[in-house]
């Protein structure tokens, strides 16, 4: 149980896919302007990370590995992720059209979101079991949500600040993102101290 808690909180705080591994930067910068869009994207990413992990782990361990087809891992994982993104897109378009419209182009970009692919590959590379992989995927998704919601708040504050002309727009956004990323570096000792 302690190992699962360590994996979960490490994925959220220490090994955050956006702020530590720099995966999923496109939706992080693109969807973080509005809180509702950031929340909707986060929930969709958590769902896709969990379902992709639940499918890719058995595919790798029971199909690719026994038949020595490990080299097909990336292609197989991308196909699974694309399938579930299409499923999420169809569900949102049918049942939550306002969220579907607010996410715009960023919803199909989950297919190419390297954080989603990254969690599935990292689970295999870390030799996690099925349960550990699901916990890591959930922690990675929650970490993505924490980063996105936190940065959404930072960006809303930046809108009301008097920023020098040279820093307006994307430059101040990147500076703010780097400061948020640096602040997460301090969690490494805390998580290891509590759960390690």
């Amino acid at each position: 149980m302690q190992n699962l808690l360590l994996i979960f909180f490490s994925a959220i705080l220490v090994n955050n896919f956006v702020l530590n591994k720099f995966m999923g930067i496109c939706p992080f910068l693109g969807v973080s302007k509005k809180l509702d869009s950031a929340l909707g994207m986060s929930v969709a990413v958590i769902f896709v990370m969990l379902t992709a992990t639940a499918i890719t782990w058995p595919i790798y361990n029971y199909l690719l590995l026994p038949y020595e087809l490990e080299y097909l891992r990336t292609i197989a994982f991308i196909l699974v992720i694309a399938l579930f993104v299409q499923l999420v897109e169809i569900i949102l378009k049918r049942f939550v059209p306002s969220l579907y419209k607010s996410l715009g182009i960023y919803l199909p970009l989950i297919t190419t979101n390297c954080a989603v692919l990254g969690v599935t590959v990292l689970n295999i590379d870390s030799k996690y079991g099925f349960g550990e992989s699901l916990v890591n995927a959930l922690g990675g998704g929650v970490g993505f949500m924490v980063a996105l919601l936190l940065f959404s708040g930072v960006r809303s504050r930046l809108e009301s600040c008097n920023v020098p002309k040279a820093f307006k727009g994307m430059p101040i956004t990147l500076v703010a993102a780097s400061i948020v990323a640096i602040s997460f570096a301090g969690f490494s000792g805390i998580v290891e101290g509590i759960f390690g």
Side-chain angles (χ1 to χ4, degrees):
M1 181 65 172
Q2 188 173 1
N3 186 39
L4 294 178
L5 288 173
L6 178 63
I7 292 170
F8 180 73
F9 285 107
S10 290
I12 295 172
L13 300 171
V14 179
N15 300 319
N16 189 292
F17 283 97
V18 176
L19 301 174
N20 184 312
K21 299 185 184 308
F22 306 111
M23 295 181 184
I25 297 295
C26 180
F28 176 71
L29 294 175
V31 184
S32 60
K33 282 186 176 181
K34 296 180 182 173
L35 185 63
D36 58 339
S37 297
L39 183 62
M41 174 62 91
S42 299
V43 171
V45 167
I46 290 171
F47 173 74
V48 172
M49 278 187 173
L50 277 171
T51 53
T53 297
I55 299 297
T56 57
W57 191 92
I59 286 173
Y60 181 80
N61 285 291
Y62 299 122
L63 184 64
L64 299 179
L65 197 60
Y67 296 105
E68 298 179 3
L69 299 171
E70 299 94 343
Y71 60 90
L72 293 175
R73 172 177 76 174
T74 304
I75 294 170
F77 289 5
I78 288 172
L79 289 173
V80 169
I81 292 165
L83 174 74
F84 279 105
V85 169
Q86 290 302 310
L87 177 67
V88 169
E89 192 171 359
I90 290 167
I91 290 170
L92 287 179
K93 190 174 185 179
R94 174 88 168 106
F95 296 109
V96 193
S98 60
L99 179 58
Y100 174 77
K101 287 179 183 175
S102 71
L103 290 175
I105 187 67
Y106 296 102
L107 187 58
L109 285 177
I110 293 177
T111 304
T112 59
N113 185 344
C114 54
V116 177
L117 179 61
V119 75
T120 59
V121 170
L122 199 92
N123 289 333
I124 301 301
D125 290 346
S126 299
K127 299 190 183 336
Y128 287 151
F130 185 71
E132 293 169 327
S133 295
L134 288 177
V135 168
N136 188 44
L138 179 62
V142 171
F144 185 85
M145 180 170 21
V146 166
L148 211 57
L149 295 179
L150 181 69
F151 196 60
S152 177
V154 169
R155 286 188 78 174
S156 69
R157 294 292 304 251
L158 284 174
E159 296 293 323
S160 63
C161 292
N162 187 14
V163 178
K165 189 176 182 181
F167 282 99
K168 285 197 184 282
M170 192 52 69
I172 193 64
T173 301
L174 294 174
V175 169
S178 64
I179 292 170
V180 171
I182 290 170
S183 68
F184 268 64
F187 287 118
S188 62
I190 294 172
V191 171
E192 289 173 3
I194 293 174
F195 299 107

